[in-house]
Amino acid sequence: MLILLPPSEGKTPAVSGAAVDWSSLGFPGLNPARAKVLEALGTVSAHEDALDLLGVGASLRDDVVRNTRLHAEPAAPAHRIYSGVLYDALGYRTMTPAQRRKADESVLVVSALWGAIRFGDAVPAYRLSMGTALPDVGRLASFWKPQLSEALASAVGDQLLVDCRSSTYAAAWAPPAGQTVSVNVFTEAGGVRKVVSHFAKHTRGELARHLLSRRGKAPSTPAGLLKAAQERWAAELVPGTARKPHALDIILPG
C-alpha cells in the first residue's frame, strides 16, 4: 500500500542542519527536473513582482525570499517540514517507532518543487504551488506529469494506491486507475450529502494515520481499504473504470 499526500501550503522551516542532499532523495531520476524547477523558482522569487508571480500575499514575503536560497537552507524530513490540518491529523510525531517506519515506507508526497518525495526525505521549506506557472518550465502540473509517470512506475508496482491528494496535485500524476482509490469526504444530514473541503483534509489525515497504525496487514485491494475505513467511519466504495480510479467516500455526520 502507498498513500499519496499533497504537501501543505504552510511549512515549518528547519532551524539548523545540513542543506538538501540531492543524492539521498527518493526517485533520483527526478533530480534533473527538480534542478530545473528550483532554478526557475529562485529566479522568479528574486523578481520585484515575485509575490504576484507566485500568487501569494505580502505576509508570505519571507517564504518567497527563502526560495532564493534553497540550495543552502537547512533541510529536515518531509514529515517535519509539512504542517497543517492534514499533517496534524496524521500525527507522525505521536506514532510508535514501528508506525513511523511504516509511514516512511508507505507515504509519498507529490510536490510542486520536488515532484515526489518519501516521508523521510530531507528537504528545505519552500513556497510553491502546483497551480503555478514558471518561466522555461510552464504550468507545474503539466511539467511533472510525464516525469512522475516514468519515475514512479517501478515504485508503484502492483500496490494499492490510496490517493489523498487535492485536485491541484492529482493533476500532476494519474496513477494506474485499477489499483488507485481516491478519497472523498462528505457530511450527511437528513439524507442530504454535502462535499466538505477544509475538513476533508483533516479526515484524510486521520485515514492515513488509521491505515498506518491499525493492526494486521495493510489493505491491498479497494475492497480491503473499504473494510479498513469502516472500522472507524461510515464509508462506501464507488467502483472505478478502466480510466477512472475507485473512490472511497467517507460520510461524516452533518
Side-chain angles (χ1 to χ4, degrees):
M1 174 190 69
L2 291 175
I3 301 173
L4 306 179
L5 298 183
S8 58
E9 290 302 319
K11 300 172 182 69
T12 303
V15 296
S16 62
V20 60
D21 177 2
W22 292 68
S23 66
S24 71
L25 296 178
F27 317 109
L30 293 174
N31 280 347
R34 290 164 172 161
K36 184 173 183 177
V37 175
L38 185 66
E39 181 179 1
L41 177 60
T43 299
V44 166
S45 298
H47 196 277
E48 60 181 9
D49 295 329
L51 299 181
D52 291 335
L53 293 172
L54 293 174
V56 300
S59 64
L60 299 176
R61 185 178 301 277
D62 289 346
D63 291 0
V64 172
V65 170
R66 188 185 303 111
N67 284 344
T68 66
R69 53 176 192 265
L70 291 180
H71 279 296
E73 281 291 298
H79 55 73
R80 286 172 49 193
I81 294 294
Y82 295 122
S83 54
V85 174
L86 188 154
Y87 289 90
D88 287 346
L90 190 152
Y92 182 94
R93 293 183 181 181
T94 61
M95 288 180 168
T96 67
Q99 291 165 355
R100 291 179 183 179
R101 287 193 295 271
K102 190 173 182 180
D104 290 346
E105 295 169 356
S106 303
V107 173
L108 299 183
V109 181
V110 174
S111 160
L113 176 55
W114 306 107
I117 54 175
R118 294 193 179 275
F119 228 20
D121 286 351
V123 295
Y126 60 94
R127 175 61 60 167
L128 181 65
S129 170
M130 190 66 82
T132 303
L134 294 176
D136 300 322
V137 173
R139 188 70 60 182
L140 287 165
S142 300
F143 173 80
W144 282 117
K145 196 165 188 176
Q147 307 281 349
L148 294 178
S149 295
E150 180 177 354
L152 298 181
S154 59
V156 168
D158 60 357
Q159 296 182 84
L160 176 70
L161 297 170
V162 183
D163 194 348
C164 295
R165 296 174 296 169
S166 61
S167 58
T168 302
Y169 287 87
W173 178 49
Q179 63 198 76
T180 303
V181 183
S182 59
V183 179
N184 304 314
V185 184
F186 300 88
T187 57
E188 184 172 281
V192 178
R193 287 187 187 176
K194 295 182 179 180
V195 177
V196 297
S197 54
H198 180 73
F199 199 71
K201 296 179 182 180
H202 179 84
T203 304
R204 289 175 179 137
E206 287 187 321
L207 175 65
R209 182 182 179 92
H210 178 62
L211 295 174
L212 295 168
S213 60
R214 64 189 290 273
R215 294 184 178 181
K217 293 183 178 180
S220 58
T221 64
L225 175 63
L226 173 64
K227 185 176 180 180
Q230 288 175 332
E231 294 167 356
R232 283 205 53 186
W233 298 277
E236 298 172 355
L237 184 69
V238 180
T241 65
R243 300 184 64 180
K244 185 177 180 180
H246 307 272
L248 176 70
D249 291 347
I250 295 177
I251 301 101
L252 307 176

